[in-house]
Amino acid sequence: MSSSNELDKLIRALQIQPGIGQRSATRIAYHLLERRRQDAVELGNILISAMHNIKQCRLCRNYCDNDICNICHNPERYHSRQLCIVESPSDVAAIELSNNYQGLYFVLHGHLSPIDGVGPNELGLPQLDELLSQGQFDELILATNPTIEGDATASFIAALAAKHHIKAISKIASGVPLGGGIDNVDQKTLASSLMNRRPFSA
Ligand SMILES: [Zn+2]
């Protein structure tokens, strides 16, 4: 318990961040109060605006400000006729930083997990099905995380893509640690995983 109810509330609120426990939250709260009050007010306003305004792209389900995200909006992205499937928006950011991919993405926002009630609908697979039916892709790159759930999701999607006669279905190569997340891999490793992707079938 601190000397102020407002301070207690702030410390509790800061702990919604992964990896921030009570000790770190307390340190951050005092730091903001003592040295960064104005910046913290601005941060609060940015948070409110971001949480209200950031939406999902109608085509790829990545985060965006308008109906369609900047990546889907770029005509050059359609030339490669490649679609890369990832579990989370942070995976798109990691692949973009690796500078080794010029195609489009589809963001699942998770992986198949029937026990948690996450099935094909929650991952937007009817939307992916519709996208693949338009015949604008020659290659589907599965970049789900190398976990049991990620692999099961990749197999499910490969079967879906096979139905649409996509010419090549590949999966990113090893280098991404088993059980890890691709957004935690360094840029060089991720670039080589993408370059050394292997044909994949369900
Ligand atoms: Zn998009």
Side-chain angles (χ1 to χ4, degrees), residues 13-197:
L14 286 167
Q15 291 176 61
I16 64 166
Q17 275 294 315
I20 303 286
Q22 190 171 7
R23 273 170 72 106
S24 305
T26 305
R27 218 166 34 231
I28 294 168
Y30 281 118
H31 174 71
L32 295 177
L33 282 168
E34 282 163 21
R35 297 171 202 276
R36 307 291 290 267
R37 275 196 193 222
Q38 195 46 46
D39 291 338
V41 169
E42 203 177 317
L43 172 65
N45 290 332
I46 291 170
L47 275 173
I48 291 168
S49 168
M51 294 307 124
H52 283 140
N53 296 323
I54 296 176
K55 312 180 237 197
Q56 275 186 19
C57 171
R58 183 164 56 80
L59 298 173
C60 73
R61 297 181 18 121
N62 199 356
Y63 293 133
C64 68
D65 302 332
N66 300 306
D67 197 29
I68 292 177
C69 76
N70 295 341
I71 295 176
C72 290
H73 206 70
N74 181 349
E76 287 178 12
R77 291 287 187 152
Y78 291 80
H79 292 162
S80 71
R81 299 181 60 82
Q82 290 172 312
L83 183 69
C84 181
I85 312 284
V86 295
E87 289 189 24
S88 77
S90 60
D91 298 336
V92 173
I95 293 173
E96 285 296 294
L97 277 175
S98 80
N99 257 329
N100 202 46
Y101 178 72
Q102 292 302 319
L104 291 160
Y105 296 93
F106 188 84
V107 182
L108 301 169
H109 291 277
H111 45 239
L112 289 175
S113 180
I115 205 161
D116 302 312
V118 181
N121 287 341
E122 285 69 29
L123 301 182
L125 298 189
Q127 205 173 322
L128 178 64
D129 193 38
E130 164 72 26
L131 198 62
L132 294 177
S133 74
Q134 294 166 7
Q136 46 179 329
F137 301 107
D138 291 334
E139 184 180 5
L140 194 75
I141 300 167
L142 298 160
T144 50
N145 292 334
T147 57
I148 292 169
E149 297 85 357
D151 287 343
T153 308
S155 295
F156 192 94
I157 294 172
L160 184 78
K163 202 180 81 184
H164 290 290
H165 309 294
I166 302 288
K167 283 185 199 151
I169 301 170
S170 59
K171 194 160 187 297
I172 56 167
S174 56
V176 177
L178 283 179
I182 73 164
D183 57 346
N184 287 321
V185 179
D186 68 89
Q187 293 170 23
K188 272 193 183 152
T189 307
L190 191 52
S192 102
S193 303
L194 266 166
M195 231 152 32
N196 298 316
R197 60 188 181 271

